[in-house]
Amino acid sequence: MKKSMICALPVVLMLGAGSVLATALPDKAQEKSAESQAVQTQVDQTSADKAASQREKITKEAVAAIEQTQKALQALNDGKTDDALKALEAATGKLELILARDPKLALVPVNVDMVTYDLFASVDTVKAAIKEAKDLLDDGKVQDARRLMSNLASEVVISTTSIPLATYPDAIKAISPLLDKGETEKAKLALQAALNTLVVTAEVVPLPLLRSQHMLAAAEVLAEKEKRSEEDNQKLDNLLKAADEELKLAEVLGYGSKKDFAPLHEQIGKIKDKASGGKSGKGWFDELKSALKNLF
């Protein structure tokens, strides 16, 4: 296992307005709005920062403990019991060091992966796909519906693999007595079982919400600007519309309920009214930003 790994794998999912069956996706994705493309670098950076924040929790002792456990298992497979015992002793020492630092620690990360699923489709296209999936289910075509629905995600998934300190150290300590009794096969099974107890937790970051957040941040700067030009006014309007569209996409994809999103749409409408005629002001976005933050 690598000391720390972040695998950024963009998966582009495409749905066309004319054909929503998972087995007949179009060759070209529907284009993102100019506003969406403009904030993409910020979106990517925010996702990377979240993964990096998790990676910072990885300790060399935790990684070494896993490496030594794997080394012990390999040594047993090679018939090298003494080498296995040395590796188990090293793993135990690393785990004891971690617990000595923080006896209440439940999980200690050893690896972080990041995968991005980006959906290039409009709200109407997604709605059509959902309707098609429902029709397929009604017709008993469960697998066709499953394949179609599996495409309906727009998110970054940050997966963290951790050692469960409540069970893993004791499991490792229990191996040596088995080897002392000559029960090598039982020791192998116990080692593999210990490695299988590693805990994987996932943080899901909806991309439409993240894009909307960055769009609204840019819109807020413009809304506070006095004596905006016509170009500024148009840009502000476009940002608010694009942010609202991203929220609609997040809603139809199920990253919250209608009750969650209703006040967000309402707040954007109020901001549009306040900014009409080139008017400017501060604090207009406070309630909206707070409500959006709660959805993450």
Side-chain angles (χ1 to χ4, degrees):
M1 181 177 294
K2 293 183 179 179
K3 195 168 185 180
S4 61
M5 179 180 70
I6 292 182
C7 176
L9 176 62
V11 181
V12 179
L13 305 178
M14 301 180 294
L15 291 174
S19 178
V20 296
L21 284 174
T23 53
L25 296 179
D27 293 332
K28 293 183 179 180
Q30 295 178 335
E31 289 188 7
K32 293 285 187 182
S33 67
E35 291 73 26
S36 178
Q37 294 177 42
V39 300
Q40 189 57 48
T41 299
Q42 294 169 284
V43 169
D44 292 340
Q45 187 61 56
T46 300
S47 301
D49 288 345
K50 286 180 178 291
S53 177
Q54 287 298 103
R55 182 177 55 175
E56 288 176 358
K57 300 176 184 178
I58 295 174
T59 65
K60 61 181 180 180
E61 290 83 9
V63 174
I66 297 299
E67 290 176 343
Q68 290 298 326
T69 304
Q70 293 170 331
K71 184 177 179 181
L73 182 57
Q74 185 59 53
L76 290 180
N77 287 331
D78 295 339
K80 299 177 181 179
T81 302
D82 289 342
D83 288 347
L85 287 169
K86 290 179 181 178
L88 290 171
E89 183 180 353
T92 299
K94 299 297 183 183
L95 293 168
E96 289 178 346
L97 181 58
I98 294 170
L99 286 170
R101 289 174 179 164
D102 188 354
K104 296 181 180 180
L105 189 62
L107 298 172
V108 56
V110 294
N111 190 56
V112 174
D113 293 321
M114 184 177 79
V115 182
T116 299
Y117 301 91
D118 207 353
L119 180 64
F120 286 69
S122 68
V123 172
D124 288 341
T125 297
V126 174
K127 287 181 177 179
I130 293 172
K131 181 180 182 304
E132 178 69 17
K134 290 179 179 179
D135 291 342
L136 288 168
L137 286 173
D138 289 341
D139 292 339
K141 298 179 180 179
V142 177
Q143 294 307 310
D144 287 340
R146 179 180 65 84
R147 283 189 288 272
L148 178 54
M149 291 301 296
S150 68
N151 290 328
L152 300 183
S154 184
E155 62 195 28
V156 173
V157 181
I158 301 170
S159 301
T160 302
T161 302
S162 305
I163 297 174
L165 293 176
T167 58
Y168 195 88
D170 290 339
I172 297 301
K173 290 178 182 178
I175 306 299
S176 293
L178 292 175
L179 294 176
D180 291 340
K181 296 177 185 179
E183 298 178 344
T184 303
E185 290 305 316
K186 284 186 178 181
K188 288 181 185 179
L189 291 174
L191 270 176
Q192 189 59 63
L195 288 169
N196 289 341
T197 63
L198 295 181
V199 177
V200 179
T201 55
E203 178 184 2
V204 177
V205 182
L207 285 170
L209 293 182
L210 197 52
R211 289 193 179 102
S212 181
Q213 187 178 53
H214 285 294
M215 289 175 188
L216 291 172
E220 184 174 22
V221 173
L222 284 173
E224 293 178 354
K225 183 179 179 180
E226 296 181 2
K227 297 180 180 180
R228 290 192 305 271
S229 65
E230 284 301 318
E231 183 179 353
D232 287 336
N233 287 331
Q234 186 61 57
K235 185 176 181 180
L236 173 58
D237 188 59
N238 290 342
L239 282 167
L240 290 173
K241 287 179 179 177
D244 200 38
E245 193 67 17
E246 289 291 339
L247 291 176
K248 290 176 182 177
L249 180 59
E251 183 177 347
V252 75
L253 287 173
Y255 293 116
S257 65
K258 289 184 178 180
K259 184 179 179 180
D260 295 323
F261 284 97
L264 298 178
H265 298 308
E266 183 180 351
Q267 283 297 316
I268 289 177
K270 288 181 178 180
I271 293 171
K272 286 182 179 180
D273 291 339
K274 290 178 180 179
S276 64
K279 295 189 292 290
S280 62
K282 295 185 178 181
W284 295 353
F285 288 73
D286 291 350
E287 188 175 343
L288 177 57
K289 288 189 294 185
S290 178
L292 182 56
K293 185 178 180 180
N294 291 334
L295 273 178
F296 278 95

PDB file of all heavy atoms in Angstrom, residues 7-36:
ATOM      1  N   CYS A   7      -6.322   9.270  -5.660  1.00  0.00           N
ATOM      2  CA  CYS A   7      -6.553   8.909  -7.059  1.00  0.00           C
ATOM      3  C   CYS A   7      -7.665   9.785  -7.608  1.00  0.00           C
ATOM      4  O   CYS A   7      -8.826   9.608  -7.260  1.00  0.00           O
ATOM      5  CB  CYS A   7      -6.950   7.432  -7.144  1.00  0.00           C
ATOM      6  SG  CYS A   7      -7.377   6.878  -8.790  1.00  0.00           S
ATOM      7  N   ALA A   8      -7.316  10.748  -8.420  1.00  0.00           N
ATOM      8  CA  ALA A   8      -8.316  11.649  -8.999  1.00  0.00           C
ATOM      9  C   ALA A   8      -8.722  11.121 -10.360  1.00  0.00           C
ATOM     10  O   ALA A   8      -8.002  11.263 -11.337  1.00  0.00           O
ATOM     11  CB  ALA A   8      -7.751  13.062  -9.127  1.00  0.00           C
ATOM     12  N   LEU A   9      -9.857  10.489 -10.410  1.00  0.00           N
ATOM     13  CA  LEU A   9     -10.305   9.850 -11.638  1.00  0.00           C
ATOM     14  C   LEU A   9     -11.613  10.475 -12.092  1.00  0.00           C
ATOM     15  O   LEU A   9     -12.674  10.186 -11.546  1.00  0.00           O
ATOM     16  CB  LEU A   9     -10.516   8.348 -11.405  1.00  0.00           C
ATOM     17  CG  LEU A   9     -11.079   7.530 -12.565  1.00  0.00           C
ATOM     18  CD1 LEU A   9     -10.140   7.571 -13.751  1.00  0.00           C
ATOM     19  CD2 LEU A   9     -11.344   6.108 -12.132  1.00  0.00           C
ATOM     20  N   PRO A  10     -11.572  11.385 -13.059  1.00  0.00           N
ATOM     21  CA  PRO A  10     -12.816  11.993 -13.526  1.00  0.00           C
ATOM     22  C   PRO A  10     -13.617  11.026 -14.379  1.00  0.00           C
ATOM     23  O   PRO A  10     -13.102  10.450 -15.324  1.00  0.00           O
ATOM     24  CB  PRO A  10     -12.333  13.187 -14.357  1.00  0.00           C
ATOM     25  CG  PRO A  10     -10.989  12.804 -14.822  1.00  0.00           C
ATOM     26  CD  PRO A  10     -10.399  11.911 -13.753  1.00  0.00           C
ATOM     27  N   VAL A  11     -14.869  10.828 -14.024  1.00  0.00           N
ATOM     28  CA  VAL A  11     -15.746   9.951 -14.790  1.00  0.00           C
ATOM     29  C   VAL A  11     -16.838  10.809 -15.395  1.00  0.00           C
ATOM     30  O   VAL A  11     -17.663  11.373 -14.682  1.00  0.00           O
ATOM     31  CB  VAL A  11     -16.365   8.863 -13.880  1.00  0.00           C
ATOM     32  CG1 VAL A  11     -17.252   7.955 -14.699  1.00  0.00           C
ATOM     33  CG2 VAL A  11     -15.265   8.066 -13.200  1.00  0.00           C
ATOM     34  N   VAL A  12     -16.842  10.961 -16.692  1.00  0.00           N
ATOM     35  CA  VAL A  12     -17.813  11.817 -17.373  1.00  0.00           C
ATOM     36  C   VAL A  12     -19.038  11.000 -17.759  1.00  0.00           C
ATOM     37  O   VAL A  12     -18.935  10.017 -18.490  1.00  0.00           O
ATOM     38  CB  VAL A  12     -17.198  12.459 -18.638  1.00  0.00           C
ATOM     39  CG1 VAL A  12     -18.243  13.321 -19.326  1.00  0.00           C
ATOM     40  CG2 VAL A  12     -15.987  13.305 -18.257  1.00  0.00           C
ATOM     41  N   LEU A  13     -20.194  11.410 -17.261  1.00  0.00           N
ATOM     42  CA  LEU A  13     -21.441  10.726 -17.568  1.00  0.00           C
ATOM     43  C   LEU A  13     -22.268  11.605 -18.483  1.00  0.00           C
ATOM     44  O   LEU A  13     -22.448  12.790 -18.236  1.00  0.00           O
ATOM     45  CB  LEU A  13     -22.216  10.445 -16.277  1.00  0.00           C
ATOM     46  CG  LEU A  13     -21.434   9.671 -15.204  1.00  0.00           C
ATOM     47  CD1 LEU A  13     -22.285   9.508 -13.963  1.00  0.00           C
ATOM     48  CD2 LEU A  13     -21.000   8.320 -15.739  1.00  0.00           C
ATOM     49  N   MET A  14     -22.786  11.030 -19.547  1.00  0.00           N
ATOM     50  CA  MET A  14     -23.498  11.825 -20.548  1.00  0.00           C
ATOM     51  C   MET A  14     -24.911  11.298 -20.758  1.00  0.00           C
ATOM     52  O   MET A  14     -25.125  10.109 -20.892  1.00  0.00           O
ATOM     53  CB  MET A  14     -22.746  11.775 -21.888  1.00  0.00           C
ATOM     54  CG  MET A  14     -21.327  12.296 -21.821  1.00  0.00           C
ATOM     55  SD  MET A  14     -20.501  12.212 -23.417  1.00  0.00           S
ATOM     56  CE  MET A  14     -20.422  10.433 -23.663  1.00  0.00           C
ATOM     57  N   LEU A  15     -25.857  12.215 -20.784  1.00  0.00           N
ATOM     58  CA  LEU A  15     -27.233  11.863 -21.109  1.00  0.00           C
ATOM     59  C   LEU A  15     -27.744  12.846 -22.148  1.00  0.00           C
ATOM     60  O   LEU A  15     -27.579  14.053 -22.011  1.00  0.00           O
ATOM     61  CB  LEU A  15     -28.120  11.947 -19.856  1.00  0.00           C
ATOM     62  CG  LEU A  15     -27.861  10.887 -18.766  1.00  0.00           C
ATOM     63  CD1 LEU A  15     -28.723  11.204 -17.560  1.00  0.00           C
ATOM     64  CD2 LEU A  15     -28.162   9.496 -19.281  1.00  0.00           C
ATOM     65  N   GLY A  16     -28.354  12.343 -23.187  1.00  0.00           N
ATOM     66  CA  GLY A  16     -28.873  13.221 -24.241  1.00  0.00           C
ATOM     67  C   GLY A  16     -30.373  13.378 -24.131  1.00  0.00           C
ATOM     68  O   GLY A  16     -31.065  12.489 -23.665  1.00  0.00           O
ATOM     69  N   ALA A  17     -30.855  14.526 -24.566  1.00  0.00           N
ATOM     70  CA  ALA A  17     -32.280  14.805 -24.425  1.00  0.00           C
ATOM     71  C   ALA A  17     -33.127  13.834 -25.232  1.00  0.00           C
ATOM     72  O   ALA A  17     -34.239  13.503 -24.863  1.00  0.00           O
ATOM     73  CB  ALA A  17     -32.568  16.239 -24.865  1.00  0.00           C
ATOM     74  N   GLY A  18     -32.610  13.351 -26.343  1.00  0.00           N
ATOM     75  CA  GLY A  18     -33.406  12.495 -27.210  1.00  0.00           C
ATOM     76  C   GLY A  18     -33.366  11.031 -26.851  1.00  0.00           C
ATOM     77  O   GLY A  18     -34.207  10.262 -27.287  1.00  0.00           O
ATOM     78  N   SER A  19     -32.383  10.635 -26.045  1.00  0.00           N
ATOM     79  CA  SER A  19     -32.257   9.219 -25.724  1.00  0.00           C
ATOM     80  C   SER A  19     -31.736   9.064 -24.315  1.00  0.00           C
ATOM     81  O   SER A  19     -30.635   9.490 -24.010  1.00  0.00           O
ATOM     82  CB  SER A  19     -31.294   8.534 -26.699  1.00  0.00           C
ATOM     83  OG  SER A  19     -31.129   7.179 -26.362  1.00  0.00           O
ATOM     84  N   VAL A  20     -32.541   8.486 -23.451  1.00  0.00           N
ATOM     85  CA  VAL A  20     -32.162   8.416 -22.050  1.00  0.00           C
ATOM     86  C   VAL A  20     -31.849   6.999 -21.589  1.00  0.00           C
ATOM     87  O   VAL A  20     -31.524   6.785 -20.439  1.00  0.00           O
ATOM     88  CB  VAL A  20     -33.284   9.000 -21.147  1.00  0.00           C
ATOM     89  CG1 VAL A  20     -33.463  10.463 -21.441  1.00  0.00           C
ATOM     90  CG2 VAL A  20     -34.603   8.271 -21.371  1.00  0.00           C
ATOM     91  N   LEU A  21     -31.936   6.040 -22.464  1.00  0.00           N
ATOM     92  CA  LEU A  21     -31.619   4.682 -22.077  1.00  0.00           C
ATOM     93  C   LEU A  21     -30.127   4.541 -21.823  1.00  0.00           C
ATOM     94  O   LEU A  21     -29.307   5.057 -22.565  1.00  0.00           O
ATOM     95  CB  LEU A  21     -32.031   3.694 -23.175  1.00  0.00           C
ATOM     96  CG  LEU A  21     -33.535   3.403 -23.266  1.00  0.00           C
ATOM     97  CD1 LEU A  21     -33.815   2.548 -24.479  1.00  0.00           C
ATOM     98  CD2 LEU A  21     -34.034   2.734 -22.011  1.00  0.00           C
ATOM     99  N   ALA A  22     -29.775   3.832 -20.740  1.00  0.00           N
ATOM    100  CA  ALA A  22     -28.369   3.680 -20.383  1.00  0.00           C
ATOM    101  C   ALA A  22     -27.585   2.969 -21.462  1.00  0.00           C
ATOM    102  O   ALA A  22     -26.384   3.130 -21.580  1.00  0.00           O
ATOM    103  CB  ALA A  22     -28.261   2.902 -19.063  1.00  0.00           C
ATOM    104  N   THR A  23     -28.260   2.175 -22.258  1.00  0.00           N
ATOM    105  CA  THR A  23     -27.571   1.422 -23.308  1.00  0.00           C
ATOM    106  C   THR A  23     -27.430   2.212 -24.594  1.00  0.00           C
ATOM    107  O   THR A  23     -26.846   1.743 -25.557  1.00  0.00           O
ATOM    108  CB  THR A  23     -28.351   0.120 -23.613  1.00  0.00           C
ATOM    109  OG1 THR A  23     -29.707   0.453 -23.901  1.00  0.00           O
ATOM    110  CG2 THR A  23     -28.303  -0.808 -22.404  1.00  0.00           C
ATOM    111  N   ALA A  24     -27.977   3.425 -24.626  1.00  0.00           N
ATOM    112  CA  ALA A  24     -27.932   4.213 -25.861  1.00  0.00           C
ATOM    113  C   ALA A  24     -27.603   5.672 -25.572  1.00  0.00           C
ATOM    114  O   ALA A  24     -28.332   6.572 -25.967  1.00  0.00           O
ATOM    115  CB  ALA A  24     -29.272   4.107 -26.594  1.00  0.00           C
ATOM    116  N   LEU A  25     -26.516   5.889 -24.858  1.00  0.00           N
ATOM    117  CA  LEU A  25     -26.108   7.250 -24.542  1.00  0.00           C
ATOM    118  C   LEU A  25     -25.509   7.912 -25.774  1.00  0.00           C
ATOM    119  O   LEU A  25     -24.884   7.259 -26.593  1.00  0.00           O
ATOM    120  CB  LEU A  25     -25.079   7.238 -23.409  1.00  0.00           C
ATOM    121  CG  LEU A  25     -25.583   6.711 -22.066  1.00  0.00           C
ATOM    122  CD1 LEU A  25     -24.456   6.728 -21.053  1.00  0.00           C
ATOM    123  CD2 LEU A  25     -26.750   7.518 -21.565  1.00  0.00           C
ATOM    124  N   PRO A  26     -25.644   9.225 -25.908  1.00  0.00           N
ATOM    125  CA  PRO A  26     -25.119   9.930 -27.076  1.00  0.00           C
ATOM    126  C   PRO A  26     -23.607  10.005 -27.049  1.00  0.00           C
ATOM    127  O   PRO A  26     -22.974   9.808 -26.012  1.00  0.00           O
ATOM    128  CB  PRO A  26     -25.741  11.318 -26.939  1.00  0.00           C
ATOM    129  CG  PRO A  26     -25.942  11.484 -25.462  1.00  0.00           C
ATOM    130  CD  PRO A  26     -26.321  10.128 -24.965  1.00  0.00           C
ATOM    131  N   ASP A  27     -23.038  10.304 -28.201  1.00  0.00           N
ATOM    132  CA  ASP A  27     -21.593  10.404 -28.301  1.00  0.00           C
ATOM    133  C   ASP A  27     -21.057  11.664 -27.641  1.00  0.00           C
ATOM    134  O   ASP A  27     -19.921  11.718 -27.202  1.00  0.00           O
ATOM    135  CB  ASP A  27     -21.153  10.388 -29.773  1.00  0.00           C
ATOM    136  CG  ASP A  27     -21.439   9.045 -30.425  1.00  0.00           C
ATOM    137  OD1 ASP A  27     -21.448   8.048 -29.690  1.00  0.00           O
ATOM    138  OD2 ASP A  27     -21.656   9.015 -31.647  1.00  0.00           O
ATOM    139  N   LYS A  28     -21.877  12.726 -27.601  1.00  0.00           N
ATOM    140  CA  LYS A  28     -21.417  13.997 -27.063  1.00  0.00           C
ATOM    141  C   LYS A  28     -22.199  14.368 -25.801  1.00  0.00           C
ATOM    142  O   LYS A  28     -23.400  14.175 -25.725  1.00  0.00           O
ATOM    143  CB  LYS A  28     -21.575  15.104 -28.102  1.00  0.00           C
ATOM    144  CG  LYS A  28     -20.664  14.941 -29.322  1.00  0.00           C
ATOM    145  CD  LYS A  28     -20.826  16.118 -30.272  1.00  0.00           C
ATOM    146  CE  LYS A  28     -19.894  15.980 -31.475  1.00  0.00           C
ATOM    147  NZ  LYS A  28     -20.037  17.118 -32.416  1.00  0.00           N
ATOM    148  N   ALA A  29     -21.468  14.930 -24.833  1.00  0.00           N
ATOM    149  CA  ALA A  29     -22.114  15.405 -23.612  1.00  0.00           C
ATOM    150  C   ALA A  29     -22.763  16.753 -23.867  1.00  0.00           C
ATOM    151  O   ALA A  29     -22.348  17.497 -24.747  1.00  0.00           O
ATOM    152  CB  ALA A  29     -21.070  15.546 -22.501  1.00  0.00           C
ATOM    153  N   GLN A  30     -23.803  17.056 -23.087  1.00  0.00           N
ATOM    154  CA  GLN A  30     -24.405  18.371 -23.169  1.00  0.00           C
ATOM    155  C   GLN A  30     -23.449  19.375 -22.530  1.00  0.00           C
ATOM    156  O   GLN A  30     -22.881  19.115 -21.474  1.00  0.00           O
ATOM    157  CB  GLN A  30     -25.757  18.360 -22.454  1.00  0.00           C
ATOM    158  CG  GLN A  30     -26.767  17.453 -23.150  1.00  0.00           C
ATOM    159  CD  GLN A  30     -28.090  17.395 -22.412  1.00  0.00           C
ATOM    160  OE1 GLN A  30     -28.152  17.629 -21.225  1.00  0.00           O
ATOM    161  NE2 GLN A  30     -29.161  17.053 -23.130  1.00  0.00           N
ATOM    162  N   GLU A  31     -23.296  20.519 -23.156  1.00  0.00           N
ATOM    163  CA  GLU A  31     -22.303  21.485 -22.694  1.00  0.00           C
ATOM    164  C   GLU A  31     -22.703  22.133 -21.370  1.00  0.00           C
ATOM    165  O   GLU A  31     -23.871  22.404 -21.116  1.00  0.00           O
ATOM    166  CB  GLU A  31     -22.095  22.576 -23.745  1.00  0.00           C
ATOM    167  CG  GLU A  31     -21.368  22.096 -24.994  1.00  0.00           C
ATOM    168  CD  GLU A  31     -21.016  23.257 -25.909  1.00  0.00           C
ATOM    169  OE1 GLU A  31     -21.218  24.413 -25.498  1.00  0.00           O
ATOM    170  OE2 GLU A  31     -20.549  22.995 -27.024  1.00  0.00           O
ATOM    171  N   LYS A  32     -21.676  22.381 -20.541  1.00  0.00           N
ATOM    172  CA  LYS A  32     -21.883  23.128 -19.319  1.00  0.00           C
ATOM    173  C   LYS A  32     -22.019  24.610 -19.673  1.00  0.00           C
ATOM    174  O   LYS A  32     -21.502  25.068 -20.692  1.00  0.00           O
ATOM    175  CB  LYS A  32     -20.691  22.944 -18.378  1.00  0.00           C
ATOM    176  CG  LYS A  32     -20.519  21.531 -17.831  1.00  0.00           C
ATOM    177  CD  LYS A  32     -21.539  21.238 -16.770  1.00  0.00           C
ATOM    178  CE  LYS A  32     -21.268  19.887 -16.112  1.00  0.00           C
ATOM    179  NZ  LYS A  32     -22.291  19.553 -15.103  1.00  0.00           N
ATOM    180  N   SER A  33     -22.663  25.354 -18.812  1.00  0.00           N
ATOM    181  CA  SER A  33     -22.805  26.789 -19.049  1.00  0.00           C
ATOM    182  C   SER A  33     -21.450  27.470 -18.916  1.00  0.00           C
ATOM    183  O   SER A  33     -20.513  26.921 -18.307  1.00  0.00           O
ATOM    184  CB  SER A  33     -23.775  27.395 -18.038  1.00  0.00           C
ATOM    185  OG  SER A  33     -23.219  27.350 -16.731  1.00  0.00           O
ATOM    186  N   ALA A  34     -21.354  28.675 -19.469  1.00  0.00           N
ATOM    187  CA  ALA A  34     -20.099  29.431 -19.371  1.00  0.00           C
ATOM    188  C   ALA A  34     -19.765  29.702 -17.916  1.00  0.00           C
ATOM    189  O   ALA A  34     -18.587  29.680 -17.517  1.00  0.00           O
ATOM    190  CB  ALA A  34     -20.238  30.745 -20.143  1.00  0.00           C
ATOM    191  N   GLU A  35     -20.790  29.949 -17.109  1.00  0.00           N
ATOM    192  CA  GLU A  35     -20.572  30.218 -15.692  1.00  0.00           C
ATOM    193  C   GLU A  35     -20.048  28.975 -14.972  1.00  0.00           C
ATOM    194  O   GLU A  35     -19.180  29.068 -14.099  1.00  0.00           O
ATOM    195  CB  GLU A  35     -21.883  30.678 -15.030  1.00  0.00           C
ATOM    196  CG  GLU A  35     -22.371  32.039 -15.464  1.00  0.00           C
ATOM    197  CD  GLU A  35     -22.937  32.049 -16.886  1.00  0.00           C
ATOM    198  OE1 GLU A  35     -23.406  30.975 -17.347  1.00  0.00           O
ATOM    199  OE2 GLU A  35     -22.896  33.111 -17.523  1.00  0.00           O
ATOM    200  N   SER A  36     -20.566  27.809 -15.371  1.00  0.00           N
ATOM    201  CA  SER A  36     -20.100  26.557 -14.784  1.00  0.00           C
ATOM    202  C   SER A  36     -18.643  26.297 -15.144  1.00  0.00           C
ATOM    203  O   SER A  36     -17.833  25.911 -14.295  1.00  0.00           O
ATOM    204  CB  SER A  36     -20.970  25.392 -15.273  1.00  0.00           C
ATOM    205  OG  SER A  36     -20.499  24.168 -14.756  1.00  0.00           O
TER     206      SER A  36
END
